[in-house]
Amino acid sequence: MDKFVIKGGPRLQGEIPIGGSKNSALPALAAALLTDEPVTLRRIPRVRDIRTMQRLLVDIGSHAEVDGETIRLDTPRIVSSEAPYELVKTMRASSLVLGPLVARTGRARVSLPGGCAIGARPINLHLHGLEQLGARIHQSHGYIEAEAPEGLRGATIHFDRITVTGTEDLVMAAVLARGETILRNAAREPEVADLCALLVKMGAQIEGAGTSTIHIRGVEKLHGADHTIIADRIEAGTFLIAGAITGGDVTIADCVPEHVGALVAKLLQAGAEVTQTGATSVQICAPKRLRSVDVTTEEYPGFATDLQAQYMALMTQAQGIAIVVETIFENRFMHAQELARMGANIRLEGRQAIVAGPSELTGAGVIASDLRASASLVLAALAARGETVIDRVYHIDRGYEKIEAKLARVGGQIRRVE
Ligand code: EPZ
């Protein structure tokens, strides 16, 4: 298993280019199942989760041609409507093929994704929505079987709670349903809007994408399309925090500044100078001493739960007490113990983490757990005195393309050890 060896200390300086969004690419890949014509997707990040989804689509019947960051998917026919446990257990986003498979073939057999490090993460809202669209759902042997032999019909669906992939799954089911579907309390994440932009290019009729009420008018058939994925706002946020935690001066290029608005507001309150230097670039100049600022994670446009771990690492270096509240997942503080091993002063109380700073971090041997917790360990290591070895970096490779190369180009002393 690969490890990262990081020597803390250098102030990061320079420009980091941001890649395409993993969480936009995953539903976009699944959307290719909705048509028998070729779909070309550009700016696809070369990360593990994308390769996993690609393998799943090929098993289902897609022909995939990869050329750098462009994937051309052609699914003339579905040969298997099944997402096997072996794949789903490695990536829960495999449940994104549920909606497209039921919409295209009238059936799907998808392994129930187990829980994961950050929580139980059920898909009950996905299934309930499919039932309201007329699918019959049956669960056995750890698999979900969804059937709609007469096709799906439009319905009004009100989500009990906001779910990103639940919204995406049901948008993809509804675009080929008979009649109109209204999704209420839908997720407003940019990745949902990006998926809808692709579907509209494919001929779908969707209004309200990016708002909490999405109107879909079903159509007979969708055609192929060519779509470029939006920039990864979580990668952008992670590198903004890398600039802040090292007292550096870093410009994030090729991003969507608006998508990191909640984080930028916190960094400004903490005393950093953050300026939009162009349509797709944001510069951060860190202050000598950061101020502690509380944060509560919320659905978009609130502060992203996927940046909570990285922000917690930053607050270990800030002056004062920061209260970090995680409202989206029930167990997303694993990074706290690892940060504490490096010298951080963090007290956990249920959904709250109380971070007292600044505390001097020293390099240590730590273990990555989930994707974003691992990113927070990288950030802490950049600010720690001495050397940190992070084991199991495959967690990081799931969602960050060549993170060590991007950090090294702005002065980070980080190398991958096979
Ligand atoms: C998406 O996961 C992202 N993944 C996650 O990013 C992100 O953390 C999450 O949204 C929240 O923003 C992808 O887009 C591939 P949810 P998702 O459904 O859709 C509960 C990363 O690091 N819930 O919005 O699975 C659920 O347990 C990953 O890139 C139900 O109870 O998240 C959670 O507490 C991690 N029943 C809350 O809702 C359901 O049917 C939000 O989950 C669905 C969700």
Side-chain angles (χ1 to χ4, degrees):
M1 268 182 239
D2 289 2
K3 296 180 170 33
F4 279 154
V5 177
I6 301 172
K7 200 167 166 350
R11 295 174 64 250
L12 300 188
Q13 293 196 300
E15 180 170 290
I16 303 179
I18 298 302
S21 161
K22 161 181 87 80
N23 289 350
S24 188
L26 288 169
L29 285 165
L33 295 174
L34 288 163
T35 176
D36 56 6
E37 296 180 15
V39 173
T40 299
L41 299 170
R42 301 176 192 281
R43 202 178 180 187
I44 299 289
R46 281 160 292 188
V47 295
R48 243 169 110 242
D49 276 4
I50 297 297
R51 287 193 290 276
T52 304
M53 178 61 90
Q54 198 180 304
R55 214 167 42 248
L56 172 56
L57 295 180
V58 168
D59 288 352
I60 289 173
S62 297
H63 304 291
E65 275 169 46
V66 179
D67 172 15
E69 295 184 338
T70 299
I71 292 189
R72 184 178 181 277
L73 286 164
D74 194 1
T75 320
R77 70 191 62 76
I78 303 284
V79 297
S80 154
S81 288
E82 178 158 329
Y85 175 63
E86 298 66 44
L87 273 179
V88 176
K89 74 180 175 192
T90 64
M91 185 188 64
R92 51 178 306 95
S94 312
S95 57
L96 281 166
V97 300
L98 249 181
L101 281 174
V102 179
R104 170 103 185 254
T105 68
R107 65 179 300 276
R109 186 168 189 271
V110 174
S111 162
L112 263 173
C116 76
I118 62 180
R121 302 187 70 186
I123 58 167
N124 59 309
L125 301 176
H126 302 229
L127 302 176
H128 183 52
L130 282 172
E131 279 178 326
Q132 288 178 273
L133 292 175
R136 279 198 303 282
I137 304 287
H138 173 68
Q139 178 177 331
S140 70
H141 307 299
Y143 276 78
I144 287 295
E145 297 184 356
E147 298 204 331
E150 304 81 36
L152 297 172
R153 62 178 188 286
T156 295
I157 296 166
H158 193 116
F159 287 103
D160 273 359
R161 69 176 294 175
I162 293 171
T163 160
V164 176
T165 51
T167 301
E168 292 165 345
D169 232 343
L170 290 168
V171 165
M172 290 191 280
V175 292
L176 290 178
R178 283 188 308 284
E180 184 177 13
T181 295
I182 300 175
L183 301 182
R184 295 198 189 289
N185 200 23
R188 295 183 282 170
E189 271 67 8
E191 294 76 29
V192 175
D194 197 29
L195 170 66
C196 292
L198 164 62
L199 292 168
V200 166
K201 282 183 188 172
M202 293 168 70
Q205 294 184 15
I206 302 173
E207 273 161 35
T211 75
S212 52
T213 302
I214 302 178
H215 288 253
I216 298 148
R217 194 176 305 284
V219 294
E220 276 298 304
K221 203 172 163 343
L222 293 180
H223 50 74
D226 186 318
H227 183 68
T228 299
I229 300 293
I230 55 170
D232 192 315
R233 61 192 170 97
I234 305 303
E235 185 190 22
T238 302
F239 288 130
L240 276 174
I241 294 173
I245 204 170
T246 58
D249 176 353
V250 171
T251 296
I252 307 299
D254 311 327
C255 72
V256 180
E258 177 198 343
H259 292 169
V260 287
L263 170 66
V264 168
K266 291 295 171 185
L267 294 172
L268 289 168
Q269 285 174 46
E273 268 175 56
V274 188
T275 42
Q276 185 168 338
T277 49
T280 61
S281 57
V282 176
Q283 180 180 13
I284 183 165
C285 296
K288 285 271 165 296
R289 173 63 72 209
L290 287 157
R291 287 190 296 270
S292 298
V293 178
D294 295 350
V295 73
T296 297
T297 62
E298 304 280 351
E299 291 88 357
Y300 190 87
F303 191 97
T305 173
D306 288 351
L307 287 171
Q308 178 258 106
Q310 300 90 316
Y311 184 80
M312 187 185 290
L314 179 66
M315 286 297 108
T316 69
Q317 303 306 295
Q319 176 75 44
I321 303 276
I323 311 283
V324 177
V325 182
E326 171 57 57
T327 69
I328 308 292
F329 291 108
E330 62 269 28
N331 180 33
R332 202 169 196 177
F333 284 147
M334 268 86 56
H335 42 286
Q337 288 89 331
E338 296 296 319
L339 292 171
R341 295 190 60 246
M342 296 174 72
N345 179 347
I346 304 169
R347 189 154 48 84
L348 299 183
E349 282 178 11
R351 291 268 175 142
Q352 284 194 1
I354 294 106
V355 186
S359 44
E360 196 201 21
L361 299 180
T362 53
V366 289
I367 293 188
S369 56
D370 78 276
L371 168 57
R372 308 303 175 181
S374 319
S376 86
L377 298 179
V378 172
L379 298 176
L382 291 170
R385 185 165 50 77
E387 186 172 276
T388 298
V389 178
I390 303 181
D391 204 348
R392 300 189 190 170
V393 294
Y394 61 84
H395 287 289
I396 299 177
D397 294 334
R398 294 190 55 167
Y400 290 93
E401 186 177 351
K402 300 197 200 67
I403 191 169
E404 70 274 22
K406 292 194 175 185
L407 287 170
R409 67 183 275 162
V410 289
Q413 298 198 357
I414 172 173
R415 61 190 166 82
R416 181 183 291 259
V417 172
E418 305 296 321

